[in-house]
Amino acid sequence: MPHLRLAPPAPTRPGVLLPARDLAVAWVLMVLLAALAWLLTIGQSRHMGMQPGTMGLALPLFLLLWVVMMAAMMLPSVAPVAITWVRGINRRSAGPARALRIAAFVSGYLLAWTAFGLLAYAALTATGHLVDRNPGTGRWIGAAVFLLAAAQQFGPLKRVCLRHCRNPMFQLVQYSRFRPWAKDLRVGAHHGLYCVGCCWGLMIVLIPLGVMNVAAMAGLAAVIFLEKLWRQGPWLAWAVGFAFLVLAVLAPFQPWLLPGLETAPPMDRMTGWAG
């Protein structure tokens, strides 16, 4: 009986949703918004150390900072979907009205990430308390977080949500059936939930790497962008999963990999936005 070799699955290609000219304006607007968010994030990070936990921030201030971070990291990759929805699927506006509809879509998208920010705050609060009580637990928390992130990269939820983010056309057509009330906001939030399902594993590695670690945020933003828009994105997701497995093994023995879980000498902690 002949030996059968199974070919690896062909990587999913992101659909070409609109001509480049139609996407250009949205790309420029989204990149400018992301650049502004990056400037705010970098400016704030200069006044904050990579401390365990919530860095002394109360929940409202943490969520405000979290939304700015998500805007910086996510908007470039969501630009094609937002403009496709407004210009390619639901063509009922132009000029300022279209800009307002894109803004509503983005607001709904960030609302989904704000909800995830509540979970992130709870996780950071818990890990901060554990590390304060017993600094030695930081290395095991870091290993567990990297292991969980790796599991998410290989899991079915990642595969389903990444497929949606790379080829959203079918779902966007389904969104056209939504009732008119706050339609763009709800479509953005719905798409944002898929994005959370796709990227939550990448976000939790900021617990050991440091929530205000700008280099880590930039690296993760690049991974998210390439996973969603690069032809080899699904294979990159697997490669990142293997990298997280390696970090999970090394974390208990290499504390320098865990700047976000290192305890620092007593210092004044921030209780609000730095001036």
Side-chain angles (χ1 to χ4, degrees), residues 81-100:
V81 180
I83 196 63
T84 298
W85 164 250
V86 173
R87 298 191 66 176
I89 302 296
N90 203 14
R91 304 178 184 180
R92 296 181 181 175
S93 59
R98 181 176 291 164
L100 289 174

Side-chain angles (χ1 to χ4, degrees), residues 21 42 65-66 81 138 143 198 200 214 265:
R21 180 182 299 178
I42 293 170
L65 178 59
W66 179 262
V81 180
C198 177
W200 69 264
V214 175

Side-chain angles (χ1 to χ4, degrees), residues 52-53 125-135 137 263-264 269:
T125 300
T127 56
H129 288 329
L130 288 172
V131 173
D132 285 343
R133 287 200 299 265
N134 185 358
T137 61
T263 55
R269 292 195 173 185

Side-chain angles (χ1 to χ4, degrees), residues 9 20 44 48 50 65-66 73 77 84 89 94 103 106 110-112 141 156 183 195 204 206 208 217 221 256 258 275:
Q44 189 62 21
M48 302 173 69
M50 286 184 286
L65 178 59
W66 179 262
M73 297 174 67
S77 64
T84 298
I89 302 296
V106 172
L110 293 176
L111 185 63
I141 293 173
K183 188 172 185 176
C195 190
I204 65 172
L206 290 175
M217 282 189 283
W256 62 272
L258 310 171

Side-chain angles (χ1 to χ4, degrees), residues 208-220:
L209 295 181
V211 174
M212 295 307 299
N213 186 334
V214 175
M217 282 189 283
L220 291 172

